[in-house]
């Protein structure tokens, strides 16, 4: 059973998400929070698998709350998905850099929300349709100039290649087809790369790919 915490200051939004999630046989809403402080506290108490976190909330915003959660070693298995009202949210990229596993716009289709919850539990990066690769590239370009990263020196040539493909948004299956290997082999390369670089999940691997200069905005092939 996948346990979800809903963090949003709008009770109507929480009610809608709760009704959808609780109707699934493999998902349950473990708790709700109306502000960032309450979200952090309840994550510590309930240890949910996934937090659906609104970016803009009172007392403590979703970005700061996410930093607290992902920065707590005891909560390393908790995945945070940011909820935004607008696709071009200025905090989206910063949220992913802070440890969020991805983001969704609030008017996402129900099926996409359910896929999102299941995907992040499996360790996949989640990027909402219509935002995906180009928005990540845009925020990556604004974040800072690519820096030479000695950490990449520990990667094999194939792992660097795989990391670049993750950076442009390809799934394990797409990477497998591109490199003519099995999906399991592609997944293994991705996992080893994440371990070597200390990446929390695929979303952070995307960020590292841009920040290291391994991938540049516009390389969406």
């Amino acid at each position: 059973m996948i346990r979800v915490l809903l963090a949003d200051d709008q009770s109507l939004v929480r009610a809608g998400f709760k009704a959808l999630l609780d109707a699934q046989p493999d998902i349950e809403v473990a708790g709700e929070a109306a502000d960032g402080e309450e979200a952090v506290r309840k994550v510590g108490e309930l240890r949910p698998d996934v937090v659906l976190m609104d970016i803009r909330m009172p007392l403590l915003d979703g970005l700061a709350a996410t930093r607290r959660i992902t920065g707590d070693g005891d909560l390393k298995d908790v995945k945070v998905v940011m909820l935004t009202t607008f696709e071009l949210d200025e905090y989206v990229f910063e949220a992913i850099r802070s440890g969020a596993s991805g983001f969704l716009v609030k008017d996402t289709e129900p099926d996409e929300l359910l896929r999102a919850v299941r995907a992040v539990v499996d360790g996949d990066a989640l990027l909402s349709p219509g935002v995906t690769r180009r928005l990540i590239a845009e925020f990556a370009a604004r974040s800072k100039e690519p820096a030479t990263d000695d950490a990449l020196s520990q990667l094999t040539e194939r792992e660097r290649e795989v990391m670049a493909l993750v950076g442009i948004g390809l799934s394990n299956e797409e990477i497998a087809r591109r490199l003519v290997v099995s999906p399991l082999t592609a997944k293994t390369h991705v996992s080893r790369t994440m371990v070597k670089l200390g990446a929390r999940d695929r979303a952070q691997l995307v960020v590292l790919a841009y920040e290291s200069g391994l991938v540049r905005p516009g390389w969406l092939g």
Side-chain angles (χ1 to χ4, degrees), residues 121-141:
V121 169
D122 289 336
D124 292 335
L126 174 73
L127 306 173
S128 187
V131 193
T132 56
R133 305 172 190 174
R134 295 187 183 279
L135 187 57
I136 284 291
E138 179 182 349
F139 281 102

Side-chain angles (χ1 to χ4, degrees), residues 123-125 133 157-194 201-203 205-206 209 214-215 219-221:
D124 292 335
R133 305 172 190 174
E157 183 176 348
R158 177 45 62 93
E159 287 166 349
R160 290 168 68 95
E161 187 176 13
V162 167
M163 181 176 175
L165 294 175
V166 170
I168 63 173
L170 299 191
S171 66
N172 288 344
E173 289 73 17
E174 291 169 329
I175 291 173
R177 288 196 294 271
R178 181 74 67 93
L179 300 180
V180 194
V181 298
S182 71
L184 179 58
T185 297
K187 182 177 181 180
T188 298
H189 283 310
V190 172
S191 297
R192 287 177 179 170
T193 302
M194 287 170 55
D201 53 27
R202 289 176 76 102
L205 199 58
V206 170
L214 187 62
V215 176
W219 292 5
L220 303 174

Side-chain angles (χ1 to χ4, degrees), residues 19-173:
L20 174 65
L21 295 171
D22 278 343
Q24 307 306 307
D26 60 333
I27 302 174
E28 68 175 1
V29 174
E32 300 180 36
D35 59 66
E37 291 282 4
E38 185 179 16
V40 173
R41 185 175 69 255
K42 286 197 172 181
V43 167
E45 294 171 356
L46 302 173
R47 303 298 175 97
D49 299 300
V50 180
V51 181
L52 294 181
M53 179 87 73
D54 187 21
I55 283 187
R56 295 177 176 84
M57 291 188 293
L59 298 184
L60 186 70
D61 65 35
L63 188 59
T66 296
R67 286 198 189 104
R68 288 194 189 179
I69 293 168
T70 60
D72 186 335
D74 291 337
L75 303 175
K76 59 182 177 62
D77 293 328
V78 178
K79 305 296 185 181
V80 179
V81 175
M82 307 302 298
L83 298 172
T84 71
T85 303
F86 306 104
E87 289 188 348
L88 295 178
D89 194 304
E90 62 186 292
Y91 299 113
V92 164
F93 186 70
E94 186 61 33
I96 295 177
R97 291 184 65 192
S98 298
S101 294
F103 61 89
L104 288 169
V105 288
K106 286 187 177 180
D107 62 356
T108 293
E109 292 294 326
D111 286 348
E112 177 65 18
L113 175 65
L114 297 174
R115 188 192 72 80
V117 170
R118 295 177 178 121
V120 295
V121 169
D122 289 336
D124 292 335
L126 174 73
L127 306 173
S128 187
V131 193
T132 56
R133 305 172 190 174
R134 295 187 183 279
L135 187 57
I136 284 291
E138 179 182 349
F139 281 102
R142 292 178 182 179
S143 65
K144 63 181 180 181
E145 287 297 314
T148 300
D149 191 344
D150 293 337
L152 294 188
S153 65
Q154 64 185 301
L155 301 182
T156 65
E157 183 176 348
R158 177 45 62 93
E159 287 166 349
R160 290 168 68 95
E161 187 176 13
V162 167
M163 181 176 175
L165 294 175
V166 170
I168 63 173
L170 299 191
S171 66
N172 288 344
E173 289 73 17

Side-chain angles (χ1 to χ4, degrees), residues 149 152 163 197-199 203-214:
D149 191 344
L152 294 188
M163 181 176 175
L197 298 180
Q204 287 199 327
L205 199 58
V206 170
V207 173
L208 290 172
Y210 279 104
E211 291 189 337
S212 67
L214 187 62

